Amino acid sequence: MGGEQTVVVNVNQDYCSRCSICYSVCPYEAVRRDPETGKVEIDMQKCQVCGICYSACPVFAIEILYYDYNSLVGYVEEMRKKIDTETLVLMCRGNSPSTREVEEILTEQGLSLKNYIPLRLPCSGRVPTEFIFKVLSLGIKNVVSIQCEDLFCRFKEGTKINTRRLFLSRKVLEEFGFDRDTVRVVKYSRKVVYDTLKCVGCDKCVFICPYAAIEAEHFATPRILYDYCMGCGACALVCPHHAIQLKGFEFENVLKRYCDSAIRLKAEGRSPVILVFCCQWSEFSALDNPEAILFKRNAVTLEIPCFKALDPVHVVNALMNGFDGVMAVVCSAEDCKLQEGRDTAERNMTVLRDFLKKAGLLERFELFEASPRNFGSFERKLEAFIQKISALPPAKSLKREA
């Protein structure tokens, strides 16, 4: 992938003890180790910025731009001033449970409360053990880590590593008199929701699923094999009756969210108004700090779990319902966390571009491949896109006259 390469993960050689723990835990073989000297370095071409090496380093020799120890602690301290609670909920970006789902999980854990501090991370495996001990010293009494099931971790080993780490932390805390349930681990993975009453048995989902998680049934509706479902959303995209949808990304839910945003921004007199569909893994800063990066630019963002879940219909609808431009920010092919079936997404984009070209709206849509490795590249691209949209004449209406 092209673009500027900014070092967002680095080994401080002055602190490094040559223990090679980072080398052993990296799921992408992105840590190079000199067999003679033991010196380690990060190969940024392979690095996925999962942060597992950072959280594993016993001497904090690895420096990282996103979600480092100080920023995580600072976030909890700031939220403690705003929310009267003693519960911290760590959430993996891969499962991203809704507020209602988090409350259900807390209730199952015997914590029937609605106030909690949510801390959303690209991977649960990037949380240093020291962070858990620190937040407990700040007045937090319950730490709940909602992480992906082992086989569905987008960073391969993150869930397994963090589970072991938290269980060991719990044993240490017990030695110091803390309750055993001070730290809890909950496995949760986002799956599709299937309404068989809406299904017409066309079997499109069977053919499109890149993970063979849907089976055709003779004289019956297809069957979902939930043990294999990776939550990519490809099946939901092709279902003509919305019988199968990805939980949390239901068509009507997504439609309402961006239409409401367009109405609000237009009512405030903002222009141009930009909608950004953003893959959860392609950009960290904009998703976790939208007020600073997006809102001041009259832009709103909608997360998508994968490039394959980007519905061309939403792009067209957004341009019909008040947005002046739409940008899709996705991972490159080599960075995709759900690699199977990317060709389907690319075909969808070809069809979308052909339609927008015929409608005279092609300049109002842009697809941008991003990576957390390229710090700041998204902001620069968004700024350039906004300037381009600002220079365009008013968009043609796609709505038919009554």
Side-chain angles (χ1 to χ4, degrees):
M1 185 179 74
E4 298 179 29
Q5 292 292 316
T6 302
V7 178
V8 297
V9 185
N10 180 57
V11 179
N12 188 325
Q13 300 298 337
D14 292 335
Y15 294 160
C16 181
S17 64
R18 309 294 192 264
C19 68
S20 296
I21 291 177
C22 56
Y23 175 79
S24 64
V25 300
C26 178
Y28 296 98
E29 299 182 351
V31 180
R32 296 192 298 257
R33 177 179 177 273
D34 187 312
E36 295 183 2
T37 65
K39 180 180 178 180
V40 294
E41 294 179 322
I42 308 296
D43 183 346
M44 289 309 299
Q45 293 299 320
K46 294 181 178 180
C47 179
Q48 295 292 314
V49 200
C50 64
I52 293 174
C53 62
Y54 169 77
S55 63
C57 181
V59 292
F60 283 101
I62 296 180
E63 301 164 345
I64 193 166
L65 280 181
Y66 305 101
Y67 313 99
D68 65 303
Y69 173 83
N70 290 329
S71 64
L72 293 177
V73 172
Y75 170 80
V76 174
E77 289 177 327
E78 188 64 28
M79 293 301 289
R80 282 277 290 163
K81 299 174 185 176
K82 300 177 181 179
I83 303 175
D84 183 19
T85 183
E86 297 176 336
T87 300
L88 171 66
V89 179
L90 306 175
M91 291 175 283
C92 174
R93 192 186 295 271
N95 52 51
S96 301
S98 65
T99 301
R100 178 179 56 79
E101 291 166 329
V102 170
E103 291 172 3
E104 290 174 355
I105 291 171
L106 292 177
T107 300
E108 291 174 1
Q109 295 295 311
L111 299 170
S112 298
L113 71 167
K114 294 190 176 182
N115 285 339
Y116 58 89
I117 297 175
L119 177 51
R120 194 162 170 269
L121 300 157
C123 181
S124 61
R126 72 183 302 130
V127 180
T129 305
E130 293 85 352
F131 171 73
I132 301 297
F133 297 149
K134 179 62 178 179
V135 296
L136 293 175
S137 73
L138 296 175
I140 296 296
K141 294 184 178 179
N142 298 291
V143 177
V144 181
S145 179
I146 305 175
Q147 50 200 51
C148 297
E149 296 168 331
D150 293 359
L151 295 177
F152 302 96
C153 178
R154 301 298 190 256
F155 290 109
K156 299 181 180 180
E157 299 296 322
T159 294
K160 294 178 182 178
I161 289 172
N162 195 52
T163 299
R164 292 195 295 267
R165 185 180 295 155
L166 290 179
F167 282 150
L168 288 172
S169 299
R170 192 157 65 180
K171 289 185 177 181
V172 172
L173 290 169
E174 285 184 67
E175 292 293 326
F176 284 90
F178 284 85
D179 187 87
R180 187 176 187 278
D181 290 330
T182 298
V183 177
R184 312 183 196 208
V185 176
V186 179
K187 302 292 181 69
Y188 175 92
S189 294
R190 186 174 297 282
K191 308 285 185 176
V192 294
V193 179
Y194 185 30
D195 186 347
T196 56
L197 296 178
K198 291 183 179 179
C199 180
V200 296
C202 68
D203 285 351
K204 284 186 177 181
C205 55
V206 176
F207 294 106
I208 204 69
C209 179
Y211 298 99
I214 307 177
E215 280 189 347
E217 296 281 307
H218 291 295
F219 308 109
T221 56
R223 182 165 63 100
I224 309 294
L225 305 177
Y226 285 99
D227 287 342
Y228 297 98
C229 176
M230 293 295 290
C232 68
C235 56
L237 196 62
V238 299
C239 181
H241 296 280
H242 302 306
I244 184 168
Q245 301 200 62
L246 186 60
K247 193 172 184 180
F249 296 92
E250 295 85 356
F251 184 88
E252 293 297 332
N253 178 24
V254 173
L255 178 66
K256 183 179 186 306
R257 283 160 58 193
Y258 64 72
C259 285
D260 288 350
S261 296
I263 293 171
R264 174 174 54 83
L265 291 171
K266 288 292 186 180
E268 294 173 0
R270 295 173 177 266
S271 181
V273 177
I274 306 297
L275 176 62
V276 180
F277 288 102
C278 192
C279 172
Q280 292 177 318
W281 317 103
S282 62
E283 169 61 28
F284 292 167
S285 301
L287 292 179
D288 295 323
N289 192 14
E291 290 294 324
I293 295 177
L294 291 164
F295 191 68
K296 68 179 182 180
R297 294 180 171 90
N298 304 334
V300 294
T301 184
L302 278 177
E303 290 185 38
I304 52 176
C306 182
F307 184 17
K308 293 184 285 294
L310 177 56
D311 193 335
V313 174
H314 283 312
V315 175
V316 177
N317 276 340
L319 293 173
M320 289 177 62
N321 287 279
F323 283 98
D324 300 301
V326 177
M327 175 183 279
V329 183
V330 302
C331 298
S332 64
E334 60 266 26
D335 287 339
C336 182
K337 305 299 180 294
L338 292 165
Q339 295 176 353
E340 298 292 333
R342 185 183 170 88
D343 54 337
T344 302
E346 292 173 347
R347 286 198 300 270
N348 289 338
M349 290 301 101
T350 299
V351 173
L352 173 62
R353 287 192 179 99
D354 287 344
F355 175 83
L356 293 177
K357 184 177 181 179
K358 292 176 182 177
L361 296 170
L362 185 57
E363 288 185 298
R364 296 183 178 275
F365 172 72
E366 188 158 330
L367 181 70
F368 171 53
E369 291 186 350
S371 168
R373 292 194 299 268
N374 299 337
F375 186 77
S377 63
F378 168 72
E379 289 188 67
R380 293 190 292 272
K381 193 70 175 180
L382 177 61
E383 196 64 48
F385 182 63
I386 291 173
Q387 291 178 10
K388 183 180 80 169
I389 296 298
S390 299
L392 294 176
K396 297 178 182 179
S397 175
L398 291 176
K399 294 184 178 180
R400 294 180 178 178
E401 297 295 332

